Amino acid sequence: MVKIDPFEVEQWMDRYENTPGIHNIAETCAASVSIEDLEAFSTDDNTTRPLSRSLKLTYGHIRGSPGFRKNVTALLNSGTPLATSSPRPAPLQADSVLITQGAIAANFLAFYTLVGPGDHVICVYPTYQQLYSVPQSLGAQVDLWRLKPEDGYISDVAELERLAKPNTKLIVVNNPNNPTGATTPESILAAIVEFAQARNITILSDEVYSPLYHSLPAGQKAPPSILSFGYENAVATGSMSKAFALAGIRVGWLASRNRSLIDSIAHARDYTAISVSQLDDQVATYALSPAVLPSLMERNMNLARTNLQLLGSFVEKYSSVCSWVRPTAGTTAFIQFRKNGVPVDDVELAVQLVERKVMFLPAGHCFGHGKDFKGYVRLGYVCHTDVLKEGLDNLGRYVEEKLL
């Protein structure tokens, strides 16, 4: 029997997110939209609306419909490295993409195909627990590539030299980062690619929060996908859930320039899911279409910026008891709470706030490997603005009563 650690993030969400009257500021997706919302975003009445035609509900296109895969490649091709002297790599083609049941399935299938006993994996940390717990469950040794607040939670590539071993099979990165909201800039991505390419190490880049780069410093451009650097042994995963506000359709993707790797992962997927729902594929194809995507992303970018200002004001108001590295992208913030200078018990804090109808995640419990991240919480701030306001008001009252 395979031993796998409890998936603390998902178990905490399942336990509390349906609490009656809860102000959910733990949610990591941009506030969800409906099909009617998507249709209102469209700038082209000739674009076929999702679910507007009758179709036979077969398995459909096993690797994803041509239209959806074309739209995913357009998304991945949109970011080209700005500071490279190498020739521009050829654009990705649709057969470089495999459609999956969310990025969570894409990541799992990549690990299942790529690593096993005797392999070594390097994974950024903190990050989504799946990215290090699954390779461990498959028998790989995993070393954590620790991101430090004093570095803005941006990877120190010099650390790779210390972490790498002769049997290192995979380097796992997450950009934008969950839970910190940090952005790994293009220059760091290029250095990671150079390091991996010189040693024939595969890179798995979880890009599920891309392209929600909403608050970058002045003059800094959004980084491209890891695939834009042309390295054949790079894999990118993403989904419709986070940046595109469509978690309910459970659709994601895995892409690579290595066609044989795509084939291998597709063969592994035969044992788990034959295809995604044709209905979900239709909705996703429409959302990523040129007629809809710009307005959808403008809505989500504006929501993220508006809400981050509210959260920033909260952190500034209570700076004597809470601190953070301000996020530059994605939907999550990583905030530490203290009382009399000592980190609070993050689990106790989160449970007490649920009692006050506010939900966020205790990060020491859900993201901490051992005793890391005492007093930290992960807060999702790209919910509807009124939900965030009410949640922060309740949290502020708790801070004033209990922590100041």
Side-chain angles (χ1 to χ4, degrees), residues 312-377:
S313 296
F314 176 92
V315 173
E316 183 177 358
K317 179 178 180 179
Y318 297 112
S319 59
S320 62
V321 296
C322 65
S323 59
W324 67 344
V325 174
R326 189 183 180 95
T328 57
T331 67
T332 62
F334 205 46
I335 304 172
Q336 187 184 45
F337 285 85
R338 303 174 304 277
K339 182 174 183 178
N340 299 324
V342 178
V344 302
D345 182 319
D346 50 279
V347 171
E348 181 181 348
L349 173 66
V351 170
Q352 289 181 356
L353 264 296
V354 167
E355 294 170 356
R356 295 178 179 229
K357 303 302 184 184
V358 179
M359 179 186 172
F360 47 69
L361 290 182
H365 175 70
C366 294
F367 289 88
H369 195 81
K371 297 183 179 180
D372 298 323
F373 313 128
K374 291 181 179 179
Y376 278 86
V377 306

Side-chain angles (χ1 to χ4, degrees), residues 2-326:
V2 173
K3 181 183 181 300
I4 190 164
D5 293 332
F7 203 158
E8 300 293 357
V9 167
E10 299 304 333
Q11 292 190 9
W12 191 276
M13 295 290 284
D14 184 55
R15 188 177 305 132
Y16 293 114
E17 66 182 332
N18 291 315
T19 301
I22 200 79
H23 300 299
N24 186 352
I25 53 175
E27 181 56 68
T28 57
C29 304
S32 298
V33 296
S34 67
I35 291 176
E36 288 78 10
D37 293 331
L38 291 178
E39 291 174 349
F41 290 140
S42 179
T43 58
D44 182 2
D45 291 338
N46 294 320
T47 300
T48 302
R49 293 182 292 111
L51 312 184
S52 63
R53 57 190 175 87
S54 178
L55 75 163
K56 301 295 185 183
L57 294 177
T58 66
Y59 286 111
H61 294 275
I62 300 304
R63 297 196 181 191
S65 70
F68 186 20
R69 293 201 287 166
K70 178 183 176 182
N71 287 350
V72 171
T73 60
L75 192 70
L76 294 170
N77 286 328
S78 63
T80 301
L82 305 172
T84 178
S85 59
S86 303
R88 179 177 294 187
L92 286 167
Q93 301 301 313
D95 57 1
S96 295
V97 176
L98 177 68
I99 303 304
T100 62
Q101 278 76 12
I104 195 167
N107 290 334
F108 189 94
L109 288 167
F111 290 129
Y112 186 80
T113 304
L114 290 169
V115 301
D119 291 328
H120 176 243
V121 174
I122 299 170
C123 182
V124 295
Y125 175 78
T127 192
Y128 195 50
Q129 183 184 334
Q130 181 198 33
L131 299 183
Y132 51 85
S133 284
V134 170
Q136 283 177 333
S137 76
L138 295 170
Q141 177 193 352
V142 179
D143 277 331
L144 300 176
W145 187 7
R146 294 176 182 269
L147 308 177
K148 305 177 182 68
E150 57 267 29
D151 296 332
Y153 295 115
I154 295 173
S155 305
D156 180 358
V157 180
E159 284 283 293
L160 281 178
E161 195 70 54
R162 179 183 63 80
L163 292 169
K165 303 176 184 294
N167 63 332
T168 300
K169 188 73 173 290
L170 189 65
I171 297 172
V172 183
V173 296
N174 173 209
N175 197 31
N177 178 259
N178 168 21
T180 68
T183 297
T184 303
E186 178 198 327
S187 60
I188 300 298
L189 293 177
I192 294 169
V193 169
E194 182 180 7
F195 182 93
Q197 194 165 16
R199 295 159 179 81
N200 196 32
I201 300 171
T202 301
I203 303 170
L204 174 61
S205 179
D206 181 327
E207 298 171 357
V208 72
Y209 291 91
S210 177
L212 204 58
Y213 295 101
H214 49 75
S215 302
L216 295 170
Q220 181 177 331
K221 295 187 178 296
S225 169
I226 201 73
L227 302 182
S228 296
F229 295 90
Y231 180 39
E232 185 176 68
N233 292 332
V235 177
T237 60
S239 89
M240 299 302 300
S241 298
K242 309 300 184 181
F244 305 108
L246 288 166
I249 62 174
R250 305 307 306 130
V251 175
W253 56 83
L254 179 148
S256 177
R257 295 181 179 278
N258 187 330
R259 304 288 174 77
S260 65
L261 177 56
I262 292 291
D263 288 343
S264 296
I265 294 173
H267 296 160
R269 196 190 62 165
D270 290 342
Y271 287 94
T272 61
I274 296 171
S275 64
V276 302
S277 157
Q278 284 199 67
L279 305 180
D280 294 342
D281 188 303
Q282 272 194 41
V283 176
T285 302
Y286 183 76
L288 293 187
S289 69
V292 177
L293 181 60
S295 297
L296 174 61
M297 285 308 302
E298 181 182 16
R299 176 261 192 187
N300 293 347
M301 288 285 221
N302 288 339
L303 184 61
R305 290 173 181 139
T306 296
N307 289 4
L308 185 58
Q309 286 297 112
L310 290 173
L311 183 57
S313 296
F314 176 92
V315 173
E316 183 177 358
K317 179 178 180 179
Y318 297 112
S319 59
S320 62
V321 296
C322 65
S323 59
W324 67 344
V325 174
R326 189 183 180 95

